[in-house]
Amino acid sequence: MRALLVVNPRATTTSERSRDVLVRALRSAVDLTVRYTERRGHATRLARAAAESGVDLVVTLGGDGTVNEAVNGLLTASTALTELPGPLALRLPALAVVPGGSTNVFARALGMPRDWVDGTGVIIAGIRDGRHRVINLGRADDRYFTFTAGLGWDAATVRGVEQARLRGRTSTPGLYVRSMAGQFLTGMDRKNPPLALERPGEESATGLSTVIVQNTAPWTYVGEKAVDLNPGASFDLGLDVLALRRLNIPGTARTVTQLAWRSGDLRGKQVLRLHDIAEFTVVASRPQAFQLDGDYLGERQKVHFVSVPSALRVIC
């Protein structure tokens, strides 16, 4: 079996020495090529080239951003691969994920251990036993995502965190909380929510302040605690949505309290929840922050979301 290991050298949970150990372990099971990412978007190009060259497996060492780039490389490989008959997942190389970031939502949602050593052991056992799982993905316009997407408040929070990290701050749960509070208090027009959600054959839902889309549960983790906005979300189903309407201070305080203590049990007239949706569009009256898999991707006024069934094989 031919495999490519895509390494983000800035992965926060591994060192150069531990990466050498990982490479030796993987080479005991596969014919391995190792490439290091050099810039944002590089993992996409590496994974696409690997798929088009006939590689059987792409392994990532990095966080959720590295995983997202690799997935988009696989799913945008040559049409000679993507137009063959049969499920998309069976036409493309499989993916294996070694957790190397600070949160690793995708890997943890698959049931992978948080420790990279244990995760590597699971991957090697899966390769030798031929064990994999086929999962659905989400697509936002022309970009795929593995676990979440969002417009509005949550994406603006991600933007604030990324700006803080560029100034040398470390990504921590506290940094996310401070960014979330700052966006709520100073960065949003809470009286005139700009977002609307449109579904074929359904009445539009308007007056939304933020829209969070999930391809699986949980939405994220705060340390060891899973945050489940839509506990029914699954890699085996369509997309789940949680949207919040007008963000007044008392109502938002109740929502945050529910998130902290009851997670998925969000209720109230300001909450819109949708389960197992195949397709919808989010439209904004003015540009809104947009994120995929925890990476800020700029501002958008319209994004079309689609659930892509049986899109990816994952060693887990």
Side-chain angles (χ1 to χ4, degrees):
M1 174 184 284
R2 294 174 56 211
L4 171 70
L5 172 62
V6 178
V7 179
N8 180 350
R10 294 176 296 279
T12 57
T13 60
T14 58
S15 64
E16 184 175 355
R17 182 176 180 181
S18 61
R19 289 194 290 268
D20 289 341
V21 173
L22 168 65
V23 169
R24 288 197 297 271
L26 289 173
R27 281 189 170 144
S28 70
V30 295
D31 176 11
L32 186 70
T33 299
V34 182
R35 295 291 302 274
Y36 287 79
T37 60
E38 300 171 358
R39 67 194 75 87
R40 191 165 187 172
H42 194 194
T44 298
R45 291 188 286 277
L46 293 174
R48 182 186 300 122
E52 293 172 350
S53 70
V55 160
D56 303 294
L57 173 68
V58 171
V59 185
T60 63
L61 172 59
D64 290 308
T66 304
V67 174
N68 179 276
E69 288 189 11
V71 166
N72 276 274
L74 294 176
L75 271 293
T76 56
S78 167
T79 54
L81 294 172
T82 56
E83 291 184 355
L84 291 172
L88 185 57
L90 302 182
R91 296 177 248 148
L92 298 172
L95 176 74
V97 178
V98 180
S102 57
T103 308
N104 304 301
V105 177
F106 178 64
R108 293 166 74 178
L110 287 169
M112 295 292 290
R114 292 191 67 182
D115 180 79
W116 70 267
V117 176
D118 294 337
T120 302
V122 169
I123 291 169
I124 291 173
I127 292 170
R128 289 175 172 166
D129 297 341
R131 185 174 64 245
H132 68 263
R133 177 180 179 184
V134 175
I135 66 170
N136 299 349
L137 293 173
R139 191 177 71 232
D141 290 337
D142 59 352
R143 180 142 177 181
Y144 295 86
F145 61 97
T146 62
F147 65 94
T148 192
L151 288 101
W153 187 19
D154 88 306
T157 297
V158 171
R159 178 182 61 199
V161 169
E162 291 193 4
Q163 291 170 344
R165 292 182 67 182
L166 289 174
R167 298 192 298 269
R169 301 290 296 277
T170 301
S171 179
T172 64
L175 180 60
Y176 276 89
V177 171
R178 289 191 293 274
S179 178
M180 180 180 290
Q183 292 299 325
F184 176 76
L185 294 173
T186 64
M188 301 178 64
D189 183 357
R190 299 194 301 272
K191 293 183 179 180
N192 299 289
L195 296 170
L197 189 149
E198 302 174 350
R199 288 191 289 161
E202 301 284 346
E203 184 176 352
S204 297
T206 59
L208 307 175
S209 293
T210 190
V211 175
I212 297 170
V213 184
Q214 287 180 240
N215 185 51
T216 191
W219 171 52
T220 190
Y221 292 86
V222 178
E224 295 293 334
K225 179 178 173 56
V227 181
D228 270 336
L229 302 183
N230 289 296
S234 169
F235 287 126
D236 302 317
L237 300 173
L239 301 172
D240 276 29
V241 175
L242 181 135
L244 300 178
R245 296 186 172 90
R246 184 171 297 179
L247 294 175
N248 58 64
I249 291 177
T252 304
R254 285 193 298 271
T255 298
V256 171
T257 299
Q258 289 179 39
L259 278 176
W261 296 104
R262 292 183 291 176
S263 209
D265 191 21
L266 291 180
R267 301 176 183 176
K269 62 182 181 180
Q270 301 302 328
V271 178
L272 170 68
R273 298 177 68 173
L274 301 171
H275 175 61
D276 191 15
I277 306 299
E279 179 181 7
F280 60 94
T281 302
V282 178
V283 180
S285 59
R286 51 191 179 275
Q288 294 295 295
F290 172 56
Q291 66 87 10
L292 284 186
D293 286 344
D295 274 355
Y296 174 65
L297 297 182
E299 295 188 340
R300 302 285 181 90
Q301 280 193 260
K302 184 177 182 180
V303 182
H304 182 62
F305 291 94
V306 177
S307 175
V308 184
S310 301
L312 187 68
R313 283 183 298 137
V314 185
I315 307 295
C316 60

